[in-house]
Structure formats: C-alpha cells, structure tokens
Amino acid sequence: MAVIKVNLPENSYDVIISADRLPQIGSSLNKLNLGKKTLLVSTPEIFDYYGDIVADSLKNQGFEVIVHLIPAGEAHKTLHSIEAIYDIALSNYLERSSTAIALGGRGIGDMTGLAA
C-alpha cells in the first residue's frame, strides 16, 4: 500500500493506492465522519467486476449507495454524462455531506471529480 499526502493550505488529504483495499473502503470512509449517502460512479465493465465489493463494504458500514453507470471510453466523457451525474445526485437528494466515489479511472475519475 502506498499513501500520497496531498498538501493544501486547507483540507489536505491522503490518496491511498492499494490492490486489496476495496473491501475496507466502507470502514475507511466511516472514520472520516462523512454523510451516509454515497454516489458510486463507474463503467458497467468495472462495476461488474468490483462494484459489489465496494457497495457491500459501504452498506455494511451504514452508507446508502446510489449507483450510476456510464459507458467506458473517451466518447462518453462529455457534459451530457456530467449532467446525468447531477441528475442522479439531485433525484437522490445528495448534499454537501454526501460522497462521490469514482470506481474506475481516466474519464470516470475526471467526470466524478468535476461533478463533485
């Protein structure tokens, strides 16, 4: 496991890189005293492989998990896809204390981060 400290003037944070931490994501987030609503954004392919592991870990720690899937590929890295993230967040009453989780890389991470 590697931990990268992102030092900011306010709200510094750690980025944890590990091959086997997904089953502990719920307990890791629970320690941060976040709101209990989470938006899990992924691609269908990644979600099929890892989605249940992440969702179950979150649910076991009392989080409500809202899943939103976006097709893979740069062609789907669009404002329309970000708008869809906003729509799902609004329709599920996510708020400032809610957490957005990008399960995937590249486009999914970019879009989830921008929407958050």
Side-chain angles (χ1 to χ4, degrees), residues 9-98:
E10 294 182 26
N11 301 322
S12 295
Y13 60 92
D14 294 334
V15 175
I16 299 170
I17 301 169
S18 176
D20 58 354
R21 293 278 305 193
L22 289 181
Q24 290 85 34
I25 192 168
S27 62
S28 294
L29 290 179
N30 208 21
K31 293 174 188 172
L32 299 176
N33 296 319
L34 303 169
K36 289 299 183 178
K37 285 192 177 190
T38 59
L39 176 59
L40 179 57
V41 181
S42 190
T43 65
E45 298 82 4
I46 297 294
F47 189 83
D48 285 347
Y49 197 75
Y50 297 107
D52 288 339
I53 296 168
V54 173
D56 289 347
S57 178
L58 292 165
K59 290 175 186 175
N60 288 338
Q61 292 294 318
F63 289 95
E64 177 184 343
V65 180
I66 298 106
V67 175
H68 180 64
L69 302 179
I70 299 172
E74 289 294 314
H76 298 284
K77 188 175 170 182
T78 65
L79 289 176
H80 179 72
S81 293
I82 294 168
E83 181 181 319
I85 295 172
Y86 289 149
D87 288 344
I88 195 92
L90 289 171
S91 66
N92 284 279
Y93 304 99
L94 271 71
E95 54 192 31
R96 189 172 189 82
S97 66
S98 302

